[in-house]
Amino acid sequence: MGHSVPLPLIRVLATGGTIAGAQTDRERGYRAAAFSVDALIAAVPQLATLAQIEVEQVAAIGSQDMDDATWLRLAARTQAALDSPAVAGVVITHGTDTMEETAFFLNLVVRSEKPVVLVGAMRPATAISADGPMNLYNALAVAAHPATRGRGVLVVANDEIHFAREIAKTNTTQVGTFASGHRGLAGLVNAGRLHLYAPPVRRHTAASEFSPLAAAAAGAQRLPRVDIVYAHAGMGRELIDAAVKAGARGLVIAGMGDGNLGAVALAAAAEAAKAGVAVVRSSRAGGGVVERNIEVDDDALGFIAADELNPQKARVLLLLGLTRTGDPRALQDLFFAY
Ligand code: SIN
């Protein structure tokens, strides 16, 4: 009898979300983060054919409650797992609402070539045709596969593999909610069988200047305050002024179209930039590049263009950038690099 090769060791870090959710006795309601990660894993015995699994419950929250302190703790626990020579990769169970933000944050602050895979579900664990068990199986398969090393943080859902930078939640309830509009998917995963596409071109993980997270930031409970202001027809200046007054060091504008604001709000944003607040123009349009100096004179007003990042991703990059610099030109360079 030949020796069998031991299965790779994957550490599963649990944070809650609908994947761990249970329906309530209300006809259509459910409560996120009701089940422990052990219960989720026990419900999918086939996981044992893919990997040896060790689990750690980092949080038990709906991802709407994800905050700086939990991000920093999750980053530290992810890094600790990756630094363990025995661990081949990490799977993180997470709610889908802020999954893209957590994935992008980790993509910028974790230092390793080993795979880190976020996974969630749109239907709670007790629902008819729950999507969590197959998503978890596929996520384990992706994290256990050596070819997924060096591709940055990934998200697995609905038989698709997404890059942290590209993924966005695009639908309130459907299982096919995630899309990677700009640069496309990282690959497909069909009942644990991987089909990988081209690796990402922008900087991430081991090549990120934010990894490992600076000791001062890692030990903190808070990251620099960055607010998002959503633009609309008839917009005034009040919300921009309020963000500045509340102490925002950065502002992301979810601008109309190509990252635009009406004249009144634009004047408020320009005043904020002049006062030293980093102002990033992103778009509420859901896709497309916001370039510099097209309809707005970014050079004159001291603004930063978000390039391809949606407002919530632009916020993540900006708050990390602000841990290093407040210079709009240096911050702009980050938006072209990551
Ligand atoms: C959450 O983000 O925690 C709730 C929604 C979900 O997981 O799909």
Side-chain angles (χ1 to χ4, degrees):
M1 283 222 325
H3 293 286
S4 56
V5 181
L7 291 171
L9 177 63
I10 302 297
R11 191 169 296 172
V12 178
L13 304 180
T15 69
T18 293
I19 190 169
Q23 287 165 305
T24 59
D25 46 14
R26 281 189 295 134
E27 198 185 334
R28 298 177 329 147
Y30 73 93
R31 190 162 61 84
F35 290 111
S36 74
V37 63
D38 295 305
L40 294 184
I41 288 169
V44 193
Q46 296 89 337
L47 296 177
T49 65
L50 296 174
Q52 304 172 69
I53 299 168
E54 53 186 34
V55 300
E56 184 179 330
Q57 191 89 39
V58 176
I61 56 174
S63 77
Q64 310 85 349
D65 287 321
M66 192 52 72
D67 58 11
D68 291 357
T70 314
W71 267 354
L72 292 164
R73 192 165 73 248
L74 182 60
R77 297 314 302 152
T78 304
Q79 191 66 56
L82 296 168
D83 289 344
S84 164
V87 171
V90 170
V91 168
I92 299 171
T93 60
H94 195 289
T96 59
D97 281 358
T98 59
M99 178 107 84
E100 65 200 83
E101 290 157 74
T102 300
F104 192 48
F105 180 74
L106 295 175
N107 194 53
L108 298 177
V109 303
V110 160
R111 171 151 297 228
S112 181
E113 297 280 332
K114 294 178 186 175
V116 176
V117 181
L118 276 78
V119 64
M122 291 301 288
R123 298 183 183 137
T126 52
I128 298 171
S129 195
D131 51 334
M134 182 56 94
N135 285 348
L136 190 57
Y137 183 82
N138 281 336
L140 252 292
V142 170
H145 201 293
T148 58
R149 286 175 64 96
R151 287 171 191 256
V153 174
L154 301 170
V155 178
V156 167
N158 200 33
D159 298 353
E160 294 176 336
I161 312 168
H162 297 260
F163 294 117
R165 180 180 183 274
E166 309 305 327
I167 187 170
K169 188 172 187 178
T170 64
N171 187 282
T172 52
T173 55
Q174 292 182 349
V175 292
T177 183
F178 287 117
S180 283
H182 279 120
R183 290 166 189 255
L185 289 173
L188 298 177
V189 52
N190 191 359
R193 297 183 304 280
L194 273 64
H195 306 268
L196 290 177
Y197 303 157
V201 293
R202 295 289 181 109
R203 290 172 67 175
H204 60 80
T205 55
S208 166
E209 68 204 81
F210 305 107
S211 72
L213 198 53
Q221 291 289 301
R222 296 296 314 254
L223 293 158
R225 178 177 177 138
V226 174
D227 290 325
I228 300 175
V229 179
Y230 199 98
H232 55 85
M235 181 182 185
R237 60 175 295 148
E238 294 81 2
L239 292 182
I240 292 174
D241 290 342
V244 173
K245 195 158 168 241
R249 290 183 51 207
L251 264 186
V252 174
I253 307 296
M256 296 172 273
D258 197 5
N260 290 321
L261 286 171
V264 175
L266 191 68
E271 279 173 39
K274 208 162 172 208
V277 177
V279 178
V280 173
R281 293 190 306 108
S282 180
S283 175
R284 66 178 203 181
V289 183
V290 175
E291 295 176 75
R292 287 186 68 79
N293 301 321
I294 303 294
E295 292 172 74
V296 175
D297 191 342
D298 295 301
D299 288 346
L301 300 176
F303 292 162
I304 299 146
D307 192 52
E308 295 170 358
L309 296 184
N310 67 22
Q312 55 272 32
K313 296 256 180 81
R315 177 179 176 274
V316 172
L317 181 55
L318 182 56
L319 65 83
L320 285 170
L322 285 167
T323 65
R324 300 290 172 87
T325 179
D327 175 12
R329 280 161 306 189
L331 290 166
Q332 181 66 73
D333 288 343
L334 297 177
F335 278 83
F336 292 142
Y338 289 90

